[in-house]
Amino acid sequence: MSRPIFHLLAALRTDATPQTFDDPNLAWNDIVVQAIIVGLAPMLHERLSTWQINLPPLALAKLQLTRQATAQRNLDIQRQVAEILAATAARAIPTIVLKGAYLSAAVYPAPDLRGMSDIDLLFQPADLPQAAAALASLGYLGKHKAADEGPGITKHTSTYKRPTAAADTPNPYLSTSGDRHVDPHGSLEECWFGLCTDITPGIWPRAMAHTVNGQPAQALSANDLYLHLAVHLIYHLLMGKPSLVQLVDLLVVSQRLAAQLDWDWLLQRAQQTHAAPFLAAANHLAQTVLAAPVPADIQTRLLAGLPAHLRRTIGSLDADSVMQLSQRPPLTTMRQRVARGISERRATARWATSSAGRWAVWRSALAVTRTDTARLLARRLGLIR
C-alpha cells in the first residue's frame, strides 16, 4: 500500500487523533490526490477541517474544489432520482433507493460527504417492466444483458441512461456529465461466476419510508442496509472494483445507525442467507482498517461457524489486499483474459462453504459460449457482430 493511501485511511479511523497529522513533512498533495482518485476527498476534507490542520494551499484548494463539485453533483443526482420517483409513483410502483443515493442524503453527516457514480433503485421483480416503461417515458435508453452471460450478475440485467453530449471521465466520482446511469434492481442477490448470495427475502416488509426532494420512496431498514453493504463490499473486491468508498459506508452506518443495529439479528440473518462469510469479512476490514465499532463477540461467533479455510482467507484481508484487488491491470491479450478468468474463479471459489458451491463456480467456465472471452474471440473471428 502506498504511503498516501496509508495516511488517508489512518486519518479516517475512528481512533485517529489530530496530533498524528499535524506534521509539515507529510506529502499532503499526494495524500489529497489519492483521496480524490478513490472518492474519499470530501471525507478527508471534513476530518482535517474538524481537526483544523493547516494544509498547503494547493492541497487545501484541491480538497475544497472536489467537495464543492461533489455537493453540486449530488444535488443534481437527487433531482434526477426525484424525477424518476415521480414517474414510478405515477404508476404505483414501490421503489427502494439504494446505496449512495440514500446514504449521502440520510446517513452521512452531510450530503456532500459521499460521492456517487450511478443510481441504484430496487423494484419488486413483477414491477420491472413498468419501471422500465417509467424510465423510457423520461427519455432513458436501456442496455440489456442476460443473467447467465459473462460472470452471471443477476441483481440487475439492464442499465439505463439518457443520451448526452457530455463525456464521462475515467473516474466516476469526478464525472461532471449531467445524468447518471440508472440500474433497476430486481433483487439484492450478488452473483459472481456462480457464487451467489441472496439477502432479498423479507426486506420489503421491513423497508422504511424515505423521501427525495419531496418524492416518496422507501429505504432498507438499518439491519438490511448494513448486511447489504457488507455483502456488496466483498463482492466488489471479488470483481476487482474500487472498494474504499464501500468500506467507509460500513463505518458510517455502524456509527450513525448504531442504535438501530441489532447485531444478533444480523448474525442470524447472515447465517440463514449464507452471507456469514461476507459479513465476517466486511466486519473484519471495517474494524481493522477503520476501527469501526463492530462487537467482538459477534465477530467471534460469525467466524466460529465458518470453515477453517475461510477463516484464514478473512484473516488475511487488510488495506493492502483491498488496494491490490481493486487495482488490477487492464487486459490486452486473449492469453491474459483466459488467465484472468481462471484466477478470478479460483479466488471466487475460496468463498464457497461447500464442494457444491465450489463446483458451481468452476462450472461457469464450462459454459464457454456464455463467457465474455468467448464472445470477444467470436467477434475477432467474424463469427458474430
Side-chain angles (χ1 to χ4, degrees), residues 4-224:
I5 288 290
F6 170 83
H7 288 302
L8 167 63
L9 294 176
L12 298 182
R13 289 178 59 90
T14 62
D15 55 5
T17 60
Q19 290 75 20
T20 308
F21 296 90
D22 195 6
D23 181 355
N25 296 317
L26 285 177
W28 279 115
N29 190 63
D30 294 339
I31 297 170
V32 166
V33 168
Q34 286 297 319
I36 293 171
I37 290 171
V38 300
L40 293 176
M43 288 291 286
L44 180 62
H45 180 262
E46 176 72 9
R47 176 55 60 91
L48 297 180
S49 298
T50 301
W51 285 343
Q52 298 183 332
I53 299 293
N54 293 318
L55 294 183
L58 181 59
L60 178 59
K62 288 179 179 178
L63 280 181
Q64 290 173 332
L65 287 172
T66 303
R67 186 166 179 178
Q68 290 167 9
T70 302
Q72 183 57 55
R73 181 178 146 133
N74 283 4
L75 283 174
D76 293 339
I77 291 175
Q78 294 296 346
R79 293 190 190 102
Q80 187 182 348
V81 173
E83 181 186 38
I84 296 169
L85 291 175
T88 57
R91 291 168 169 77
I93 306 172
T95 307
I96 291 179
V97 180
L98 298 172
K99 294 189 285 189
Y102 172 69
L103 293 168
S104 65
V107 181
Y108 273 70
D112 59 354
L113 292 179
R114 209 285 191 180
M116 292 177 261
S117 58
D118 54 18
I119 296 170
D120 296 280
L121 302 172
L122 178 65
F123 303 97
Q124 299 189 50
D127 289 332
L128 283 173
Q130 278 297 307
L135 289 168
S137 72
L138 298 174
Y140 288 87
L141 302 178
K143 292 183 179 180
H144 312 279
K145 185 176 183 179
D148 60 352
E149 290 184 3
I153 296 174
T154 58
K155 59 186 179 183
H156 68 84
T157 56
S158 303
T159 188
Y160 290 79
K161 194 172 190 302
R162 283 188 283 219
T164 175
D168 290 339
T169 67
N171 187 328
Y173 295 108
L174 298 180
S175 175
T176 56
S177 60
D179 274 352
R180 298 291 86 210
H181 289 87
V182 180
D183 294 332
H185 295 240
S187 76
L188 298 181
E189 182 180 43
E190 295 283 1
C191 278
W192 188 247
F193 291 120
L195 181 74
C196 295
T197 306
D198 192 3
I199 65 167
T200 312
I203 63 167
W204 282 96
R206 292 189 293 269
M208 308 179 302
H210 177 55
T211 59
V212 179
N213 286 9
Q215 293 296 329
Q218 295 182 74
L220 297 176
S221 70
N223 290 318
D224 286 321

Side-chain angles (χ1 to χ4, degrees), residues 126-327:
D127 289 332
L128 283 173
Q130 278 297 307
L135 289 168
S137 72
L138 298 174
Y140 288 87
L141 302 178
K143 292 183 179 180
H144 312 279
K145 185 176 183 179
D148 60 352
E149 290 184 3
I153 296 174
T154 58
K155 59 186 179 183
H156 68 84
T157 56
S158 303
T159 188
Y160 290 79
K161 194 172 190 302
R162 283 188 283 219
T164 175
D168 290 339
T169 67
N171 187 328
Y173 295 108
L174 298 180
S175 175
T176 56
S177 60
D179 274 352
R180 298 291 86 210
H181 289 87
V182 180
D183 294 332
H185 295 240
S187 76
L188 298 181
E189 182 180 43
E190 295 283 1
C191 278
W192 188 247
F193 291 120
L195 181 74
C196 295
T197 306
D198 192 3
I199 65 167
T200 312
I203 63 167
W204 282 96
R206 292 189 293 269
M208 308 179 302
H210 177 55
T211 59
V212 179
N213 286 9
Q215 293 296 329
Q218 295 182 74
L220 297 176
S221 70
N223 290 318
D224 286 321
L225 175 65
Y226 189 90
L227 185 57
H228 175 222
L229 294 175
V231 175
H232 182 64
L233 166 64
I234 304 306
Y235 271 85
H236 242 233
L237 291 175
L238 288 174
M239 297 173 186
K241 294 183 177 181
S243 302
L244 289 183
V245 168
Q246 287 69 32
L247 182 56
V248 172
D249 285 344
L250 284 176
L251 170 64
V252 173
V253 170
S254 65
Q255 289 180 307
R256 303 276 294 175
L257 303 182
Q260 301 175 45
L261 291 176
D262 183 336
W263 288 98
D264 285 304
W265 185 94
L266 276 167
L267 184 149
Q268 294 173 11
R269 183 63 181 162
Q271 292 173 334
Q272 292 167 356
T273 57
H274 308 290
F278 311 107
L279 178 59
N283 283 347
H284 171 78
L285 281 172
Q287 201 283 321
T288 57
V289 177
L290 297 173
V294 176
D297 66 310
I298 294 295
Q299 189 67 355
T300 299
R301 290 159 60 192
L302 273 170
L303 292 170
L306 299 178
H309 77 277
L310 269 176
R311 293 198 297 271
R312 290 192 297 270
T313 297
I314 291 168
S316 70
L317 292 174
D318 56 18
D320 278 321
S321 57
V322 170
M323 296 307 298
Q324 291 169 7
L325 289 168
S326 59
Q327 292 181 331

